[in-house]
Structures are given as C-alpha cells and as structure tokens.
Amino acid sequence: MATFYETGPGYPVTESIRVDRVSPTARRIHAVRAFVVLVFAIITLIPVFVMGITAFKSRADVVSVPPKIIFKPTLEGFVFLFTERAVVSKVRLPEFQKKAEAGELSLFERIALNTGQEITGPSDYVDRLKNSLIIAGISTILSVGLGLFAAYAFSRFPIGGKDDLLFFILSTRMLPPVVVTIPLFLMYRQLGLHDSHLGMILLYTVFNLSLSVWLLKGFIDEIPIEYEEAALVDGYTRFQAFYKIVLPQAVTGIAATTVFCLIFAWNEYAFALMLTSDDARTAPPSIATMLGRGGIEWSAIAAGSLGFLIPVVIVTFALRNYLLRGVTFGAIRR
Amino acid sequence: MSHVELSNIVKRFPGVTALKGISFDVRDGEFFVLLGPTGAGKTTTLRIIAGLTKQDEGTIRFDGESVDALTPAERDTAFVFQQYSLYPTMTVFDNLAFPLRAPSRRLPEDEIRKRVEVTAEKLRISHLLDRKTAHLSGGEMQRVSIGRAIVREPRIFLMDEPLSNLDAKLREALRVELQHLQKVEGSTTLFVTHDQIEALTMADRIAVLDLGRIRQIGTPEDIYDRPADTFVAQLVGTPRINLFPARRENNHLYIEGSELHLPAPTLDLPERFTLGIRPEDITPSPDGAFAGTLQITEPLGVETILHIRSGERTLQSLIPGMTDLRIGDTVRFDLVQDRLHCFDLDGKRIN
C-alpha cells in the first residue's frame, strides 16, 4: 500500500499567514477609554460608598451637616438592624451599668445601652433575608431552567405560530406589573398562596420567564446549528447533543440571564409588599418599614441595605468571567 | 462501508421545490461527487441521506434496506461540514473522540485513545491534539473535521464542500490527501462541490445536479467528453466550451454570424442546432483551414488561452505553453473534427 509520502506533496500545508498588530493610535484610544470607564465607575459607586459609611455612623453623625467623611465608627446601625429594643427606664439604668462594668453584657447590649436602650429580642431582618434568598434563588433557577428549554425549542424547532407565541410571551412585560397587584392579591388569597414562599416563587418565575426566554433565545440563535447536527450524526440523541454541545456554549448567556433574573427577583418591592406579610416577607419591604419606628434609623437602613447587597454581589462576582466573555462573544472565529 | 441508493427523492421547502425526484446510487468503496451550482440542491441531498432533513417523497436504502425511519445517529453516516463545525469548547483530542464517546457506541477509553491517535497520525495533526479548536488555522480545522469523520467506520462519508473555505494552496494540498485517503481506505464517499476541478480530479463517478434535477451521471470522462446537455458542457472545463448557434446546409455546418463552415460529420443533424467546441480542440497551425483575428491572449504559463475573432463570434482556444502571436495578428487554425459536440435547440446532446 502506498503511503502518503510517496504519493502526496512533500510536506503538509497547514498554516496560512496572518498578522495581528495593535497600532499606537489604538493603544492611546484604549487608555482614554480606560480613564473614562474609571471616572464613570467612581461616579456610580458614590452612593454605595455613602451607604457604606452611613452604616457605621452614630445617630448624631448621620444627620450632621455638612456630612462627615471622618468620624468615629460604631456598630449602632447594625445593633438597630438585628435587634428589637426598648428604652431603659431611669430606675433600672444603674442596674444595667453595674452589669456592663462586670462584663456581663454582650457587645451588642453595651452598644444599645449607650443609646439608653435594652435589647428585647432579635429582629426579623435575618429571617427576611433568608426569605429573599429562598424566593429569589429558586425562582431564578426555575425561570432560567424553563427559559433555556423554551428558548432552545423556539430557536431550533419549527413551532406553529412561533412569532406570535414569542410576542405573547413578551407581552406579559408590556404593562406595569403594579397594575395587576390587586387582582393578584385577591387571587392569591383565594388560592392560599398569600404570604407563602410558593406564591412568591411562582410569581417571580413567571415574571422572569419572558425575559429569560428572549435573552436565551438570542444567545442560542448565535450558536450555529451545525454543531448539534454534527453531534446528531456522530451518534448522539437530541437531548445529549443539547447537553454536551449547546449547554457549554450557552454558558455566557445563561450566566447573564441568571444575573438579570436574580437581580429582579431580589430587588422586587411592590409585589412583596402587597402579597406577603410575615412568613414569606422578603428583605426589600422590611428594610423600608424600618422607617416607621421612632424616627428614621438611617444607619440601620444603610446597614440593612449593605447586607442586602452582599448576595447579589457574590453571585455577580462569581459569574463575572462568563459575563465578560459575553462581551467578546462576537470575536470568536467560527 | 455500504451501498447507498436514493430513489425518487423529492423535497419541498415553503415556496420552492428543492429536489424534484433525485435518483442515484453510490457503490461500495466509490468516490461519488455531486456537482452543481449554488442552489442546485446538493446540500439538501446530503442532509437527507444523513437524516438531518426529511424527504417528502422517495426512499433511501443502505445496502438494500430502507433507512427512512432511522434517526441520524442510527444511520451511522459521517458528515464533514463546510464550516468545520468543530466543538469550540473542546480540545482537538476531545473533538476526535466525540463520536467514539457517543452513548450508542460506548467504546472503552483506551480503545478511543488508540483510534484517535491513529487518525491524528493519518491526517498529521498529532501535534495539535491538546489544542483548543478555536486557535487552529483553517487547514488544521478542516483536517480535524475530516478526522472526526474517519475516526470511526461509518457506512458512508458525506462531505459538504469541505475544501471551499480554504485558500487555493491549502485546498489543492488537502484535495490530494483526501483522494489518497479515500483510495487507501476504500471508503464509500459522497462529496458535494460546485468546483468542477474538484469533481473531475477526485471522482470515480459524478452526478451533475441543477435546480433539483440530475442532468447527467457518469465518469469524469463521460461528463467531459460526452456532456448530456449544454448545461453540463458549460459547467465542466475551463476555459468554458465554445457554444455557437449553427445550421446545416448541403452537408456543411455553418456557424451563424461567422464565415466558419466545415463538412458535416456523418450525423443526423437537424437544420438548426448548437455547436460546441472545447477550447483545446481549436488548434492554431500555420496551414490551418480557418482564419481569425487574435483579440486577447491569456498566458497562464503551462498553457495560453487565445481569443480568436471570426466574424461576430469569438472562439477561445487553449494551447500548451506560451505563444509568440501578437494581438491583431491573423491566426490560422484547425478544429478537431471528431470532437465536436452538437446539441439540439433545447440543449440536449445529439449523438
């Protein structure tokens, strides 16, 4: 049998020559761009910064004019956030001070005593945060998961009335959601979904589904169908091809969609206020209700908001590589 | 490897009938080329054989058994796509191993490794196995993509213009390799192309496809020397065949709009017809029977194309090597009489 070396050309031709070079102008533009982004980032972060320092200010420092940048930090805001307190009567004050001197009081109790209050119990902030995590987390997983399958079907299969269906899905976003709160409230009460985790999860899932179907459809459309067809011919079933080929390539889109859905469900205020009261109440309405008790506790609100930010920041941070890859998606040669 | 047979395949898309009753068969171990211009239905035919598209009518048989109800995975074909379609999230090794790892095959991992290495050796991509596919050059990508097809033993190779995205040099090199590979392995291959040179050089047999119909099936010699109609005649051969309206009068053929005429061959010709002359059958010689003015020369090194004006007609002549004829010169030439092609006014060949 003749080998290739006896019949073919002498050496393999595998390379074509390409030149990749960055011009000085492009580099300068890059520097300018970086500077503009930096300035923009600073401006954007100012409110977060103010919130951060407010959380550590005492009552007096919070309201001082002009606002103080340098101040003595205190955990007052966090004590107010995590506890229920009562004013200590003058009669019992010496008793407390004696306890404090004996070192029988915890850090939080001592801080509360400094403002003339005693701690009567934990606040419901942690429970609210937990509710937020459960509801936002599960509804995000559901809406992205269901959205992914729906988007794949819309993108790949000839579905009768596809365009109309897509329009209907989007149309759920075409009126301000608050408009339907009253009917929803009545329906939820009838169905026993009022103030339940299930009710809120369903609500947010349905709400996010339209967004996730549309976003993910765009991302899946970008993935050439030849990849799956190659896998089908290579001996895989449709679902295996989806799992092995489409999913790894759709990771960018899934990450972006997850972040968007999570942020919506996490921040949603109006429905949470109307449809929950205690068991399933999420963090946003509960932070706002801190306004109500004996004056505005700015430092507690700031501390609560800070704690509220953390989960979303963690998730976004964890997914940031995928999100960045999404920006450069178009640069990949296919 | 299998004998693949298509009978009467019809495929309609909304607003257009892509295939209007296609029948041909690819024999075991044959290199069969489907040649046709864009939109002829070549890719659709391939996809129907692979099971990626369903035909509306007709049957496909592998070794005599209908595969119409089978999924692409069950048909066990190998498809090489025009756009490579390598899985971008995987390394070259994983790409090659992908068909072997399919749940329907379940080969042991060391067997997979062995087969992938043998395949990589054949295509000389062993040094690339650990690379991600996104960083390969076009030629390397198409090698991997061919490798993914030959790593297993499919019943038939389906290749959809695998060389058309490569630059000219690469295309030539890979064409030779592909041909060599097919001959050595004796694999049944159905190769789709719009490039007549690829078709003529590689094929055992060619089917010429146009607008969803097969124009002619035959060996490269059949297609080139005995084109079934003017479409096929014009599709193969560069420079193109010379086609002129002609008439028969008193045992002489006259080319309309020119003083060229020659004794009629012993054919039963109608009064009016189309005369086809391959450029290489127009041979300049100092004492040639015909004369014309040289309009343009296109020297290609190995050969030169002469454009010779005669009356209102321009004939293209292909001569070996270079020429010292000048533009404007009067050229005398002969026609190779027994290689003339005659077509009726509908374009059908007259024998």
Side-chain angles (χ1 to χ4, degrees), chain A residues 86-128:
Chain A
V87 178
V88 180
S89 61
K90 281 210 180 97
V91 190
R92 294 174 60 212
L93 203 56
E95 180 198 334
F96 271 90
Q97 271 155 356
K98 205 181 290 169
K99 267 192 185 169
E101 279 155 27
E104 286 168 17
L105 294 182
S106 68
L107 175 68
F108 269 30
E109 284 172 320
R110 264 180 284 139
I111 293 168
L113 190 62
N114 285 342
T115 63
Q117 289 176 321
E118 66 169 317
I119 292 168
T120 57
S123 75
D124 45 19
Y125 177 73
V126 176
D127 285 334
R128 305 288 190 246

Side-chain angles (χ1 to χ4, degrees), chain A residues 213-250:
Chain A
V213 168
W214 272 80
L215 270 181
L216 287 168
K217 179 175 180 294
F219 279 104
I220 291 176
D221 283 345
E222 288 273 298
I223 303 170
I225 194 164
E226 282 87 1
Y227 291 129
E228 287 149 80
E229 292 183 334
L232 288 182
V233 173
D234 281 344
Y236 290 75
T237 64
R238 175 64 78 164
F239 187 78
Q240 287 159 350
F242 171 76
Y243 181 76
K244 292 235 174 200
I245 303 300
V246 178
L247 221 50
Q249 292 187 69

